[in-house]
Amino acid sequence: MGKTLFDKVWDAHVVDTIDNGPQILYIDKHLIHEVTSPQAFNELEQRNIPIFRPDQIVATADHNTPTINQHLPIKDALSRKQLEQLSENCIKNNITLYELGHKYNGIVHVMAPELGITQPGMTIVCGDSHTSTHGAFGTIAFGIGTSQVAQVFASQCLLLTKPKSLRVTVNGTLKNGVLPKDVILYIISKIGTNAGTGYFCEYAGDVFENMSMEGRMTVCNMSIEMGARGGMIAPDETTFEYVKGRKFAPKGEEFDQKVAYWKTLPTDEDAVFDKEYHFDAADIEPMLTYGTNPGMGIKISEFIPETSDASFDKALEYMDFKKGETLIGKPINFVFIGSCTNSRIEDFRIAANYIKGKQKADNVTAWLVPGSKQVEAQIIEEGLKSIFDDAGFELRQPGCSACLAMNDDKIPQGEYCVSTSNRNFEGRQGQGARTILASPLMAAATAVEGKIIDITKQLN
Amino acid sequence: MSGVERREVNMEKFKTLTATAIPLDIENVDTDQIIPARFLKATNRDGFGKNVFRDWRFQKDGSVNTNFVLNQPQFEGPILVAGDNFGCGSSREHAAWALTDYGFKVIVSSFFADIFKGNALNNGLLPVQVSPEFLKELMTTITADPKTKITVDLEAQTIGIDGSNHSEDFEIDAYKKTCMINGYDDIDYLLSKKDSIEAFEKTLQEY
Ligand code: SF4
């Protein structure tokens, strides 16, 4: 029987198998950040265990960093301490760190791919659930807890039971105005937030084949929102082109050899998946969420379902929405374009292209938060910043920002925020904040109109 | 389990537990609810318990939300019985630390998110997955009589309602079961495999 992309990469990294137990999986790259690593460093230090492979670890500061005045000392004492501790730990252990202000600093899942750290066929872990993003390269990448961060520190390995395989195929042509974010929100709305639990997902079909790397990252990023530990897309010419020439990408002959290997990775024709879903691209529209988990999404033309159960009712009460109503026309005061889902240059190009020549509505506070210093530089270089400035949008400095509201970037109590991030949980963007997940295009349009509109009407 | 000989580490051992339980009849409890992001600034593992379910336990003005089950004095105990898909969302292990720090030893649900389940097991917190029917029965029984005792037997892999013959078997990875019962964690095991890991690294050059 043939092997899946996931099987090939997984099997190539198995060091050993415990009888009736998990396997020891070798980890090529370990990404760390300030929030989930300190306790792991402490644990190793207490147990007097050295870091096994510091060269395979890369650190960045992103979750807890301010997005204005990054050159000034951080005001919040606890946040400052967390960053200081990261620096100390990295220096002490010879770990590469792109700290706040460094030209390569950024959200861990934006920074690593753009530096060519992420490559096909690798295993990558990080103490962050959206590590699934890197799967866009045909990489096994997944989030781990802090105890596992300590395990990888100690041994560059993890004890894991091989997950089951799931494939989501989307064929056809996407409609005008339908972006990768809509594709993944659509999939999650159809299969639910735990359809993927226990599985690793592969996305297949011409919709993904025709997608840019940025788009593929947006899709794989949200695999965790359907419960899957990770998602993958087979590496192809688009992948190789993206990786080529990046800072840590293999060069010259080595690159060619790698490409030859990477070409062997796609799923064999006769491989069998444990579970499969098929969708038609033509059925997808711009998507919005109306509830408090990413599975509670509808197409722009649809109405909030009339479902009745306690959790559903609780979610609608939190959002202050009614069953059977449309979201079109809802006044919105906050718009956030950012997070590891949608903060790459392509996302800002899409937003700028829509915003150009228009003005932000007066009632809206619109935050644009690039995923990395490199994206920020590109925004300026390509002249997008002046479009944003002219339209009244606020371009901030890179970081996770209002995606998880650990810093000051919080949406106030009771306010709605149309957000390009990945989680609409209660309080995720600030206590009592109400998040509506959407694509960067829908977010830009909301900021201009001051309310939710049916973008397809404008485009057609 | 073959070949696993390790010293005991900081994890507590777990064999059986008979205790009262707290019913949290909410589905899709995500780790942002268990411990909101603004409390993740600490650099050690301790003290997260005081902020567990913070935004449900307290009102916006800081006063206690008496409607929330953790604040209702009739309910207490080290077992949390929660709705489907518990622990989804962020990978933050702080969620497991907050629950154990608060005093929970067992979480019962009809479904657990992957990463949370792993994090719980790595911290001596036992996730017990039961059928939706049994979950419902547990929820109803505890709510009607908060003094009801639940017995969780890890060795036998059973969970039962005391004073009734209602019980159910639950699944747990054999390796993780050994770890829980003996208080082992994975690091020592991985360290004992260093030679194979180094040998494996040499073969990696091939791609
Ligand atoms: S942007 Fe949001 S989802 Fe992404 S790593 Fe940061 S906090 Fe996590």
Side-chain angles (χ1 to χ4, degrees):
Chain A
M1 196 174 68
K3 282 180 156 194
T4 65
L5 162 65
F6 176 76
D7 288 335
K8 293 181 194 181
V9 182
W10 179 279
D11 294 350
H13 288 83
V14 174
V15 175
D16 204 353
T17 302
I18 301 177
D19 295 342
N20 293 319
Q23 293 180 301
I24 301 178
L25 192 76
Y26 190 79
I27 303 302
D28 293 314
K29 290 279 185 267
H30 185 190
L31 308 172
I32 61 170
H33 61 85
E34 75 276 25
V35 176
T36 57
S37 67
Q39 292 87 350
F41 279 113
N42 288 348
E43 181 169 354
L44 257 71
E45 208 169 285
Q46 277 160 18
R47 293 166 73 169
N48 217 354
I49 303 168
I51 305 252
F52 183 51
R53 293 288 179 247
D55 290 353
Q56 285 163 250
I57 308 173
V58 179
T60 185
D62 55 0
H63 280 63
N64 201 355
T65 52
T67 55
I68 47 166
N69 292 327
Q70 289 187 343
H71 61 291
L72 298 178
I74 297 172
K75 281 195 229 123
D76 181 293
L78 286 173
S79 305
R80 194 172 60 237
K81 186 165 168 250
Q82 222 172 31
L83 293 191
E84 283 167 3
Q85 186 140 10
L86 180 70
S87 304
E88 260 172 48
N89 284 331
C90 289
I91 292 169
K92 219 187 305 177
N93 294 292
N94 283 318
I95 293 168
T96 305
L97 164 68
Y98 300 129
E99 62 192 341
L100 194 60
H102 190 284
K103 66 174 177 178
Y104 296 144
N105 174 259
I107 304 174
V108 61
H109 313 309
V110 178
M111 162 288 279
E114 75 188 2
L115 287 173
I117 295 169
T118 305
Q119 294 166 26
M122 281 183 167
T123 49
I124 299 183
V125 295
C126 172
D128 184 281
S129 57
H130 293 98
T131 308
S132 59
T133 311
H134 308 263
F137 291 79
T139 306
I140 291 186
F142 53 91
I144 55 177
T146 298
S147 296
Q148 292 175 307
V149 171
Q151 290 162 28
V152 183
F153 277 168
S155 67
Q156 206 55 37
C157 288
L158 283 172
L159 282 168
L160 295 164
T161 306
K162 190 175 180 181
K164 287 182 279 186
S165 63
L166 156 70
R167 180 162 61 185
V168 177
T169 307
V170 188
N171 280 314
T173 311
L174 293 174
K175 288 185 195 149
N176 211 358
V178 174
L179 300 186
K181 180 64 163 288
D182 300 306
V183 175
I184 188 64
L185 282 174
Y186 173 90
I187 294 170
I188 302 168
S189 78
K190 292 288 176 199
I191 71 178
T193 49
N194 61 25
T197 306
Y199 294 83
F200 226 86
C201 177
E202 178 173 343
Y203 301 95
D206 43 26
V207 162
F208 305 108
E209 285 162 22
N210 295 330
M211 237 177 227
S212 67
M213 285 315 291
E214 284 85 353
R216 293 179 189 182
M217 283 189 255
T218 300
V219 169
C220 289
N221 174 275
M222 290 193 70
S223 306
I224 184 77
E225 308 310 334
M226 58 184 187
R229 202 66 183 270
M232 298 173 91
I233 294 175
D236 59 8
E237 289 305 325
T238 308
T239 323
F240 311 147
E241 264 312 299
Y242 182 97
V243 174
K244 195 173 183 176
R246 293 192 183 257
K247 187 171 167 61
F248 293 104
K251 306 271 154 28
E253 207 176 306
E254 199 199 340
F255 183 78
D256 298 336
Q257 281 168 5
K258 289 269 169 152
V259 169
Y261 170 66
W262 295 341
K263 283 186 174 165
T264 66
L265 294 175
T267 295
D268 298 332
E269 291 245 340
D270 55 345
V272 178
F273 286 80
D274 295 307
K275 191 150 94 171
E276 296 233 34
Y277 294 99
H278 293 267
F279 297 105
D280 176 4
D283 189 44
I284 310 176
E285 291 177 23
M287 298 289 295
L288 293 166
T289 61
Y290 58 87
T292 55
N293 73 56
M296 300 176 85
I298 47 174
K299 301 182 206 171
I300 186 72
S301 67
E302 288 179 332
F303 301 92
I304 296 178
E306 309 263 358
T307 313
S308 211
D309 70 58
S311 296
F312 188 86
D313 293 352
K314 182 171 176 288
L316 283 201
E317 191 190 320
Y318 181 85
M319 294 300 290
D320 196 22
F321 286 148
K322 288 180 195 61
K323 293 174 193 179
E325 73 175 349
T326 172
L327 294 178
I328 298 172
K330 289 274 177 201
I332 303 291
N333 294 333
F334 288 83
V335 168
F336 171 61
I337 301 184
S339 91
C340 57
T341 317
N342 286 116
S343 64
R344 298 181 180 81
I345 190 62
E346 190 177 280
D347 301 310
F348 293 101
R349 285 189 195 132
I350 288 165
N353 186 41
Y354 179 86
I355 292 165
K356 198 171 186 174
K358 300 188 180 83
Q359 275 298 311
K360 175 187 76 64
D362 287 341
N363 60 310
V364 175
T365 302
W367 290 333
L368 306 173
V369 183
S372 70
K373 286 297 268 186
Q374 294 207 73
V375 173
E376 182 187 38
Q378 226 173 329
I379 288 174
I380 296 168
E381 210 171 284
E382 294 185 12
L384 309 184
K385 181 173 164 22
S386 51
I387 297 176
F388 297 137
D389 287 347
D390 292 348
F393 284 70
E394 193 182 331
L395 181 66
R396 297 172 77 96
Q397 291 173 298
C400 294
S401 179
C403 172
L404 91 163
M406 245 187 114
N407 63 5
D408 290 338
D409 307 349
K410 293 181 171 54
I411 308 303
Q413 167 79 29
E415 289 286 356
Y416 291 109
C417 177
V418 169
S419 174
T420 66
S421 55
N422 42 49
R423 285 186 176 141
N424 50 352
F425 298 154
E426 282 184 29
R428 171 82 179 182
Q429 297 196 286
Q431 265 182 288
R434 296 168 170 148
T435 303
I436 297 169
L437 301 176
S439 76
L441 178 61
M442 282 295 290
T446 306
V448 166
E449 301 289 336
K451 60 181 186 203
I452 293 175
I453 60 154
D454 183 350
I455 188 80
T456 59
K457 298 256 155 55
Q458 279 190 4
L459 297 173
N460 295 333
Chain B
M1 184 172 19
S2 62
V4 185
E5 266 179 58
R6 288 170 295 161
R7 69 179 166 85
E8 283 167 31
V9 287
N10 38 14
M11 236 173 61
E12 252 185 76
K13 297 180 188 183
F14 189 109
K15 284 201 173 73
T16 63
L17 176 70
T18 299
T20 53
I22 301 180
L24 179 68
D25 198 1
I26 301 175
E27 289 178 7
N28 301 312
V29 173
D30 59 75
T31 51
D32 271 82
Q33 300 317 322
I34 301 173
I35 182 87
R38 61 186 189 282
F39 300 115
L40 305 186
K41 295 180 181 179
T43 49
N44 54 36
R45 288 177 185 234
D46 313 316
F48 287 100
K50 61 176 183 293
N51 292 318
V52 76
F53 298 114
R54 177 75 195 200
D55 295 340
W56 287 343
R57 274 163 62 209
F58 297 94
Q59 311 276 16
K60 316 276 149 36
D61 62 7
S63 62
V64 171
N65 173 12
T66 48
N67 290 327
F68 187 58
V69 67
L70 255 60
N71 293 329
Q72 296 173 339
Q74 70 271 35
F75 295 114
E76 53 174 10
I79 302 174
L80 184 70
V81 179
D84 196 55
N85 198 24
F86 187 86
C88 54
S90 156
S91 61
R92 60 188 69 160
E93 195 160 314
H94 311 67
W97 301 335
L99 290 163
T100 50
D101 191 46
Y102 188 81
F104 290 115
K105 297 201 176 334
V106 173
I107 314 285
V108 184
S109 177
S110 47
F111 201 86
F112 290 95
D114 269 350
I115 305 183
F116 174 80
K117 196 182 195 174
N119 287 344
L121 287 164
N122 280 335
N123 285 278
L125 176 66
L126 182 67
V128 175
Q129 184 168 328
V130 296
S131 66
E133 297 73 35
F134 193 67
L135 183 72
K136 204 163 172 201
E137 187 182 344
L138 278 171
M139 215 57 100
T140 329
T141 316
I142 307 163
T143 311
D145 179 8
K147 298 222 156 47
T148 310
K149 290 223 163 116
I150 310 295
T151 294
V152 178
D153 184 338
L154 176 56
E155 246 153 20
Q157 293 182 218
T158 57
I159 173 168
I161 303 171
D162 285 19
S164 82
N165 52 4
H166 296 193
S167 75
E168 204 171 80
D169 296 344
F170 64 87
E171 298 282 318
I172 179 169
D173 181 286
Y175 167 81
K176 276 295 166 197
K177 181 176 170 181
T178 314
C179 290
M180 285 286 291
I181 290 176
N182 298 294
Y184 295 152
D185 82 350
D186 292 344
I187 288 189
D188 286 306
Y189 180 71
L190 286 167
L191 288 176
S192 74
K193 288 288 180 176
K194 206 152 237 180
D195 290 348
S196 340
I197 296 171
E198 280 173 352
F200 176 84
E201 282 179 322
K202 299 213 172 74
T203 69
L204 271 179
Q205 312 309 331
E206 284 162 22
Y207 75 82

